[in-house]
Amino acid sequence: MAAFIARGRPLIGVTASVHGSRIAWWANRLALRRAGARAVRITARDPFPIERLDGLVVGGGDDIDAALYGETALPKMRIDPERDRLELCALDGAAARRLPVLGICRGSQMINVHRGGSLLTDIHEVYEEAPRLRTVLPRKRIRIDPRSHLYRILGIAECRVNALHHQAVDRLGDGLRVVARETVGIVQGIEAVHHPFLIGVQWHPEYLVADQRQQALFRTLAATAAGTASLEDATAL
């Protein structure tokens, strides 16, 4: 947190695959810049010291290795073991330093796995009635727990989000709670019970650039990383 005083803006790490989409990186970088933060891209090939960060975004990407939560990978799963190790290590460091963390899509799932939880390897095998959506446009309706940190940030109990996933949180990890679901029941948001900002969302707020409620996730992350705001102040940011 003291880094904010020395450099003027908090430094947020954004994890990504070595060969991952640059579009997601630039979208996250822009969202963080608009929120008043600087961003650094972190990959297995280009790691970054966690002790130099003020906050962390665990980004979207390939599936997480099912062996990490005691399941067998499906043939269609595309995994990135090096990134898995990088993010688990980054989350260890963030936990030790109590850094604010935002998990996006895969990143939300990784937060759950890091805390001992499991995933649905394919949501459509369990939720057969779930629409098979894959779009950056807000086409999926979700409900948010009004008692949650996520609700205080977004300021709304229902909204539409985008969908680029086929996996989701199943068994919750230690100290986590479900704070958002879509109408068929699939988990769309999780957060830590005893942490100033450890939130995972199954959608991609970085692509919803015109939605100020969604961009509040980045503003609150940046402000918390800078040590200038609490979650109670989030709706005023």
Side-chain angles (χ1 to χ4, degrees), residues 8 11 25 50-51 62 65 80 99 101 103 115-116 124 133 143 157 162 181 196 201 236-237:
L11 181 63
W25 155 242
I50 194 72
E51 61 270 16
D62 292 336
D65 188 351
D80 186 344
L99 295 183
V101 177
R115 290 198 165 214
H124 298 291
L133 290 176
R143 296 191 180 102
N162 48 28
R181 293 182 185 269
V201 296
L237 293 174

Side-chain angles (χ1 to χ4, degrees), residues 60-122:
D62 292 336
D63 296 328
I64 297 167
D65 188 351
L68 293 175
Y69 50 92
E71 296 290 340
T72 302
L74 299 175
K76 61 184 177 181
M77 288 176 64
R78 190 172 65 180
I79 62 174
D80 186 344
E82 289 187 346
R83 181 177 177 181
D84 291 344
R85 289 191 290 271
L86 169 81
E87 290 178 341
L88 289 171
C89 183
L91 285 167
D92 281 343
R97 298 187 61 220
R98 296 280 287 178
L99 295 183
V101 177
L102 173 63
I104 295 175
C105 196
R106 168 199 160 94
S108 178
Q109 298 165 15
M110 183 56 82
I111 288 172
N112 191 55
V113 171
H114 177 256
R115 290 198 165 214
S118 66
L119 306 178
L120 298 174
T121 53
D122 189 337

